[in-house]
Amino acid sequence: MEVQCAGVEPPRQGPPHKAVGLIFSVLLGVWSVQALEMSVGKIPFLEAVNGSTVMLPCTYSSCIGIRDLYFDWQFNNNGTMQRVCQSVIASEGVEPHVSIFRERVEFVGKNRDNNISIVLWNITFEDGGQYTCFGRNPKEKDKNHSAIFTLIVVEELRVVDNTLTIIIASAVGGAIALLMGFMLLKNFTLFVLSKLEEKNKECLVTSSGIDNTENGLSGSKADSKSTPKKK
C-alpha cells in the first residue's frame, strides 16, 4: 500500500538529457585544458632579406604530458604541402632524431623547453610562404594540432619614414620645455616678490622706531630726562 502525505509533493527530477549535457560540458572543458598546443609566438610572421638566415619558432605544451609525440614542419608550396622535417619525441626532455627533407634546413629545437624550432639558411624568394608546425600526441587519442608561421622574403627591408614621429616628438618636447620654463619663471617671480615684501616690512618697522624716538615716546631719550624739583 502506498501512503502519501497530504499537501506534500514528491521532488521533481529534471530531464536526464540536461544532466548528461552538463557532465559532457565539464569533461569537454577539462579535456580542452589538457590538450596539446602548438605555438609559433605572438607574432606569427617574419619579413627577411633574400640571402639571410632566419629561425622559424615553434613550441608545444600539454598539461597531461606527452608520449611518442609526433611533429613535423610543412611548407605550403602553392597549395601543395611539402614536408620540411619530421620526428617523434618519446617523452619530455628526450632529444629527438629529426629527418630533414629540404635543403638549407636545420633543426635547432632539440626539445629544450619544448622547443621544436627550425632554421632556414640563405633563404631565397622561393622559401617565402606559409610554414605549418604540426603535432600529434597519442596520450590524447592522436588529436591533431598545428600553428602557421608566414615567412616574407624581400629584396631589402623597407625604410620607415619617421618624419611625422620626429615632428610630433619635437612638438611635445617643445611644449614640455615651454611649460617647465613658465613654471621656473613663475617660481622665480614669486621668490622675488616675497623678498621685496620682507624688505618692505623691515623698512616699516625701522621707520616706526625712528618716529617714536623723535616724538619722545617710551624708550626715547625724552623719557630719560628727570623732572626738575621745585624750590
Side-chain angles (χ1 to χ4, degrees):
M1 178 181 296
E2 184 178 357
V3 179
Q4 295 183 352
C5 297
V8 179
E9 296 182 357
R12 297 180 179 179
Q13 296 181 354
H17 66 275
K18 290 187 177 181
V20 174
L22 179 60
I23 295 174
F24 179 76
S25 300
V26 172
L27 292 177
L28 182 62
V30 174
W31 184 261
S32 62
V33 171
Q34 295 177 343
L36 178 72
E37 292 184 2
M38 313 297 290
S39 173
V40 292
K42 296 181 179 180
I43 304 178
F45 64 89
L46 175 66
E47 187 173 287
V49 178
N50 180 34
S52 62
T53 298
V54 298
M55 183 182 73
L56 307 186
C58 185
T59 57
Y60 68 88
S61 61
S62 177
C63 294
I64 61 175
I66 63 168
R67 185 186 69 250
D68 295 332
L69 169 67
Y70 170 83
F71 76 91
D72 66 17
W73 278 91
Q74 299 179 23
F75 174 64
N76 186 351
N77 186 11
N78 297 323
T80 302
M81 301 303 294
Q82 297 179 348
R83 185 171 282 110
V84 178
C85 66
Q86 69 175 10
S87 185
V88 174
I89 302 176
S91 60
E92 299 283 353
V94 176
E95 183 174 342
H97 176 72
V98 182
S99 300
I100 306 294
F101 303 97
R102 192 181 178 95
E103 295 181 352
R104 297 175 286 105
V105 174
E106 180 184 359
F107 180 77
V108 295
K110 299 182 179 179
N111 198 29
R112 295 173 183 173
D113 300 325
N114 299 345
N115 190 346
I116 51 176
S117 305
I118 60 174
V119 165
L120 304 183
W121 294 87
N122 301 323
I123 61 174
T124 64
F125 291 105
E126 287 74 19
D127 294 325
Q130 290 184 343
Y131 291 81
T132 301
C133 181
F134 173 86
R136 184 172 61 241
N137 186 13
K139 290 190 70 173
E140 52 177 20
K141 298 182 179 180
D142 291 333
K143 290 186 63 178
N144 297 333
H145 304 275
S146 62
I148 297 176
F149 190 87
T150 302
L151 175 63
I152 305 170
V153 182
V154 296
E155 184 66 33
E156 60 181 8
L157 295 178
R158 291 171 294 179
V159 179
V160 180
D161 187 3
N162 295 324
T163 303
L164 181 59
T165 304
I166 295 174
I167 293 175
I168 295 175
S170 300
V172 173
I176 294 175
L178 183 62
L179 180 60
M180 293 181 63
F182 173 77
M183 295 299 296
L184 291 174
L185 181 61
K186 178 182 177 182
N187 293 334
F188 178 74
T189 304
L190 293 175
F191 175 77
V192 172
L193 291 176
S194 63
K195 290 298 182 180
L196 291 176
E197 186 176 358
E198 291 178 2
K199 187 174 182 180
N200 290 335
K201 287 182 179 180
E202 292 177 357
C203 291
L204 290 175
V205 171
T206 304
S207 61
S208 176
I210 295 174
D211 291 343
N212 291 336
T213 303
E214 292 178 349
N215 293 332
L217 297 178
S218 59
S220 62
K221 294 182 179 180
D223 293 335
S224 61
K225 295 181 179 181
S226 59
T227 304
K229 296 180 179 181
K230 295 182 180 181
K231 294 182 179 181

